[in-house]
Amino acid sequence: MPRRSGSAGTRTPRRTVSGAYESPYGEIRSAWEVTGGGRTLAYEAVVPANSEATLRLPAAFAGAVGEGRVPLARVDGVRFLGHADGRSSYRLPSGRYRLAADLH
């Protein structure tokens, strides 16, 4: 969500956000940054052992999210749930993820 800055109340979009939560299974971490002049979303996540997470990321098309050069849907254990309204959804098993999503 955009934040307000400046005396005139102009909006400046956030370019980076991070957060963590200590769950009963271990730390859950999530961080993202918009890069490439607003064209790419860099995303990092940690899903603790014996857990899974549902991830929804903005993406230009279904295959626009990847871990390195591998489409996220082809990463072992990851399930692609669908793409609608400019967002791709996945079920992630426990692990560490460094992803990139094309936004345009």
Side-chain angles (χ1 to χ4, degrees):
M1 174 175 275
R3 65 176 177 228
R4 291 189 184 271
S5 66
S7 60
T10 58
R11 292 185 179 256
T12 303
R14 291 180 189 247
R15 294 305 215 188
T16 183
V17 173
S18 64
Y21 173 75
E22 190 62 43
S23 80
Y25 297 99
E27 186 178 51
I28 299 168
R29 238 181 307 152
S30 177
W32 61 260
E33 179 178 13
V34 176
T35 63
R39 299 184 63 79
T40 304
L41 178 74
Y43 182 78
E44 293 185 26
V46 175
V47 179
N50 301 313
S51 301
E52 60 180 21
T54 300
L55 173 67
R56 291 182 184 91
L57 287 180
F61 54 94
V65 180
E67 186 173 49
R69 294 179 183 221
V70 178
L72 184 56
R74 291 189 180 169
V75 172
D76 191 34
V78 173
R79 284 184 283 150
F80 178 66
L81 302 176
H83 181 84
D85 300 321
R87 287 178 172 64
S88 289
S89 299
Y90 303 87
R91 183 66 47 111
L92 304 178
S94 59
R96 295 177 183 270
Y97 300 89
R98 292 188 101 159
L99 310 173
D102 294 329
L103 300 175
H104 298 283

